[in-house]
Amino acid sequence: MAGNNIAITLVSLILVVGVVCGAVLVLQGVDDASSGKGDHGVSTGSMKSVTTFCQYAEYKDVCAKSISHVANNHSATTKDFIFAAIKATLEEVHKSHQLVVNTKIEQSTDPYNHMAIEDCKEMLQDAIDDLQASISVVGDTELHTLKHRADQLLNWMSAVYAYQTTCTEQIESRLYKSAIEDGMINATQLTNNAINIIAEMSKLLKAFNITTTTDLLHKAADKNNNNNNNTTSRRLLQTDHFPEWFPIADRKLLAAQRRGNLRPNVVVAKDGSGQFKTITGALKSYPPKHKAKYVIYVKAGVYDEIVEVGKKMKNVFMYGDGAGKTIITGKKNYAHMKITTSKTATFSALGKGFVARGITFRNTAGPEGHQAVAYRSQSDMSAIFDCSIEGYQDTLYYHTYRQFYRNCVISGTIDFIFGKGTALIQNSIIIARKPLVHQFNTITADGKELAKAKGGVVLQNCRIVPETALNPLRFKVKTYFGRPWKAYSTTVVMESQIGDLLSPLGWKIWDGENFEKTCMYYEYKNSGPGANTWRRNRAFKKFDVLGPIRARHFTAGLWLDANSWLPATGVPFAIGYTK
């Protein structure tokens, strides 16, 4: 009976996909048949605008179709084209989401793929939310200032693409995976186009002869970096000021934190001396529609629980009594429990603006557990300070958006710092651990899939060392900076001290793929016995040892647009170089 249900579901799924694809073909036919009009029903006089707008899109025909209804409006602006392109993407992602909602997999007969589909629903809903936010931003922004919102739009659109691909790659059933991938083709192509167009916003506006206002933020960041290239990291620490827009109440709160007399909203304590004995219980007390910082103090102790800071829980600041004292631990893993990588996380931060300080996030599944995440973040503008993130394979999952890590200890074996977001790890200790027999260590595995999307990971002013158990085997067990999880994987190791455990090759090919031809792996001003680059793996066609001008792009000011949000976290950071 269960087998019949699955077969019926697959037939229904294929029919839905067929209807979607058929609708596209019918629309194309209508466009071509439109009397007196060119391709996509666009008048000949409007084709120049369409061609100009879609010149940066990878799927130009799809792009032209998505804005065809706007193109014939002769008063339409570039802003109207961008709005239409994102709106078309939203409509297709809605269809993808509905397709997944209609996909029924019995939990009792196929628990893993059932979970993967549930994950997929959540991620596509997150994609919808980001697209709706993008539409609101475009709608509320004046045409001549659109350039200044490009970075935020690109941040969201890159996350939309990451959610789409994560959705399908976690599904193991070939039948379901193929059907859903086919049903998402329009959505992924439109998202791809939107990313490429937004990434070239300046060129696009120039092509339409639109004069923009000066980008003061980037100009200030450039000036700051130029003035401080030769200064010490102490002078670059941004700890004594907050942006003018930052609420006065939050400024006082973070100032109190620095003085050591911060008063939390709630206290968690294993011994019952707080309002809650569990972190999950404390998070449930988060007030609806709360806007200010919500402060949770977690006293010393071992908290064996799976924690999620929900998407609606924004601006949560969680602090403990110190890494190694306040410990959040779990042991969920893929190998023994057969659950999706996302769901293996001991701690997940989804709400925007999450900040953590003085906490250990741990997954104890060990190397035998394979994928076993200790900390997963899809929290935009998040900062982790004075924390320890401990695991083996897939320890730290920087899933989406902008993330900053400072003064942390991060440990693992295979791909233990991985994700599709934009992360900077600064002034931290990176510890390679002893893997299983015949395994290797790869510190990073970045998942950037499109050349012009936001994404990648930077290790700045870090120390890369072996754990005690690995030390006597460090020349036998190969340890690499990383390997490319996706085609445009971007990883930078700069101003860091590299131990002798690192393989002279530096970077490892992802077996079975050709990503070494397109990925971007860079090093800058590293030191230590592992820093010599003359024997690096030459299979990586774009590998380079950067000079100071190019390396500056990967410092906090430009890589994370740090001055616009990082001071508000209260976490110290270097805006530019640290050496």
Side-chain angles (χ1 to χ4, degrees):
M1 181 64 69
N4 290 337
N5 287 340
I6 292 173
I8 291 169
T9 303
L10 280 171
V11 170
S12 302
L13 187 59
I14 292 167
L15 285 173
V16 172
V17 174
V19 169
V20 173
C21 295
V24 173
L25 291 174
V26 169
L27 286 170
Q28 178 68 60
V30 170
D31 284 345
D32 291 343
S34 298
S35 177
K37 296 182 178 180
D39 293 340
H40 313 291
V42 179
S43 64
T44 304
S46 301
M47 278 306 298
K48 183 178 179 181
S49 294
V50 171
T51 302
T52 300
F53 181 80
C54 293
Q55 64 181 307
Y56 301 110
E58 181 170 345
Y59 303 96
K60 291 180 171 54
D61 213 40
V62 174
C63 174
K65 185 174 181 60
S66 70
I67 63 170
S68 60
H69 63 290
V70 177
N72 281 323
N73 178 356
H74 295 294
S75 62
T77 66
T78 312
K79 173 180 167 178
D80 295 323
F81 287 162
I82 295 171
F83 189 94
I86 298 176
K87 189 171 184 294
T89 307
L90 174 61
E91 291 169 356
E92 289 299 328
V93 174
H94 265 300
K95 293 176 185 177
S96 298
H97 182 258
Q98 191 58 50
L99 174 63
V100 174
V101 168
N102 292 338
T103 303
K104 308 298 182 183
I105 300 179
E106 292 294 333
Q107 185 174 8
S108 58
T109 57
D110 191 353
Y112 176 85
N113 283 298
H114 171 82
M115 180 179 287
I117 290 296
E118 293 303 308
D119 280 0
C120 195
K121 291 178 189 176
E122 293 176 11
M123 291 179 192
L124 290 182
Q125 183 57 57
D126 290 336
I128 288 170
D129 293 343
D130 282 346
L131 286 164
Q132 289 173 334
S134 299
I135 286 174
S136 295
V137 163
V138 173
D140 294 340
T141 303
E142 295 296 328
L143 178 58
H144 67 282
T145 62
L146 258 179
K147 174 187 172 184
H148 309 324
R149 310 307 296 269
D151 193 70
Q152 178 62 75
L153 290 171
L154 191 59
N155 178 46
W156 285 333
M157 296 305 299
S158 298
V160 169
Y161 198 85
Y163 288 136
Q164 291 169 333
T165 56
T166 305
C167 159
T168 56
E169 69 195 11
Q170 288 196 150
I171 301 170
E172 289 189 345
S173 165
R174 290 185 178 181
L175 290 174
Y176 288 112
K177 182 192 285 284
S178 296
I180 291 174
E181 282 179 340
D182 290 345
M184 289 175 63
I185 287 175
N186 288 344
T188 55
Q189 289 183 349
L190 283 166
T191 307
N192 184 322
N193 283 346
I195 286 171
N196 284 299
I197 290 167
I198 292 169
E200 301 292 356
M201 184 75 79
S202 295
K203 294 180 181 178
L204 180 66
L205 296 176
K206 185 177 181 180
F208 279 97
N209 297 317
I210 297 168
T211 302
T212 64
T213 57
T214 305
D215 193 334
L216 296 176
L217 180 61
H218 285 176
K219 184 177 180 181
D222 287 346
K223 182 178 180 181
N224 192 15
N225 277 303
N226 286 331
N227 289 340
N228 289 295
N229 281 349
N230 298 316
T231 60
T232 64
S233 59
R234 182 176 300 276
R235 287 182 62 190
L236 290 170
L237 293 181
Q238 306 296 306
T239 59
D240 298 320
H241 71 280
F242 302 107
E244 291 182 2
W245 53 264
F246 194 58
I248 293 176
D250 283 0
R251 298 186 201 188
K252 292 180 178 179
L253 182 150
L254 290 171
Q257 171 204 338
R258 292 170 183 169
R259 293 193 299 268
N261 57 355
L262 176 64
R263 295 188 63 181
N265 295 89
V266 293
V267 177
V268 182
K270 295 283 289 185
D271 60 9
S273 60
Q275 294 101 315
F276 300 93
K277 290 186 177 182
T278 67
I279 300 166
T280 300
L283 285 168
K284 287 181 180 179
S285 71
Y286 183 94
K289 298 181 180 180
H290 187 74
K291 292 183 179 180
K293 288 281 185 188
Y294 194 71
V295 184
I296 301 174
Y297 169 37
V298 185
K299 289 188 176 182
V302 178
Y303 298 83
D304 190 351
E305 56 179 307
I306 303 302
V307 179
E308 180 177 288
V309 179
K311 186 173 181 178
K312 294 182 179 180
M313 300 176 185
K314 298 179 180 180
N315 297 315
V316 170
F317 174 46
M318 187 179 295
Y319 71 100
D321 284 323
K325 295 180 180 179
T326 297
I327 301 169
I328 305 171
T329 186
K331 58 182 179 182
K332 286 195 170 185
N333 64 88
Y334 171 80
H336 303 307
M337 299 180 178
K338 196 63 176 178
I339 57 178
T340 59
T341 300
S342 298
K343 289 295 187 286
T344 67
T346 299
F347 192 103
S348 297
L350 281 62
K352 179 181 176 182
F354 176 73
V355 179
R357 180 173 187 173
I359 297 173
T360 289
F361 304 99
R362 180 181 291 167
N363 191 311
T364 62
E368 299 84 3
H370 295 179
Q371 294 95 326
V373 177
Y375 177 81
R376 177 174 79 95
S377 176
Q378 59 181 66
S379 170
D380 194 17
M381 299 189 288
S382 64
I384 310 300
F385 180 52
D386 281 350
C387 289
S388 181
I389 306 173
E390 304 171 2
Y392 284 85
Q393 183 171 339
D394 292 2
T395 304
L396 168 57
Y397 189 2
Y398 59 98
H399 192 181
T400 48
Y401 310 117
R402 296 164 291 182
Q403 306 179 22
F404 180 71
Y405 300 80
R406 169 88 179 197
N407 292 14
C408 291
V409 178
I410 306 168
S411 62
T413 54
I414 297 174
D415 306 339
F416 65 92
I417 300 173
F418 81 109
K420 299 182 179 183
T422 306
L424 193 153
I425 301 171
Q426 193 177 86
N427 290 34
S428 296
I429 301 174
I430 312 298
I431 301 177
R433 307 183 76 171
K434 181 183 176 182
L436 295 175
V437 177
H438 304 307
Q439 285 188 335
F440 51 82
N441 287 330
T442 41
I443 296 169
T444 67
D446 182 62
K448 182 177 174 180
E449 297 176 85
L450 302 178
K452 293 182 181 179
K454 284 187 72 70
V457 60
V458 177
L459 308 183
Q460 183 185 23
N461 198 31
C462 293
R463 286 197 297 129
I464 298 177
V465 298
E467 70 167 349
T468 302
L470 177 63
N471 194 55
L473 301 171
R474 67 188 186 280
F475 301 128
K476 182 178 180 181
V477 176
K478 299 295 184 182
T479 296
Y480 304 89
F481 279 139
R483 58 177 181 162
W485 181 22
K486 300 295 179 181
Y488 291 94
S489 176
T490 301
T491 305
V492 183
V493 182
M494 60 188 294
E495 301 179 309
S496 295
Q497 184 178 353
I498 317 300
D500 61 4
L501 74 161
L502 188 80
S503 166
L505 291 175
W507 308 89
K508 189 181 189 306
I509 290 173
W510 192 288
D511 294 338
E513 301 289 352
N514 295 313
F515 299 153
E516 68 275 8
K517 296 179 181 178
T518 51
C519 70
M520 289 163 279
Y521 283 165
Y522 304 132
E523 297 178 45
Y524 170 71
K525 209 173 182 179
N526 296 313
S527 60
N532 195 320
T533 60
W534 73 279
R535 290 178 59 190
R536 292 294 187 251
N537 192 340
R538 299 305 171 186
F540 289 89
K541 302 303 181 184
K542 295 189 176 182
F543 169 78
D544 202 359
V545 179
L546 301 179
I549 295 176
R550 289 179 64 197
R552 186 161 57 89
H553 174 75
F554 301 101
T555 59
L558 297 179
W559 184 243
L560 295 179
D561 192 22
N563 268 333
S564 70
W565 65 273
L566 202 46
T569 67
V571 172
F573 67 96
I575 191 70
Y577 300 121
T578 60
K579 296 180 181 178

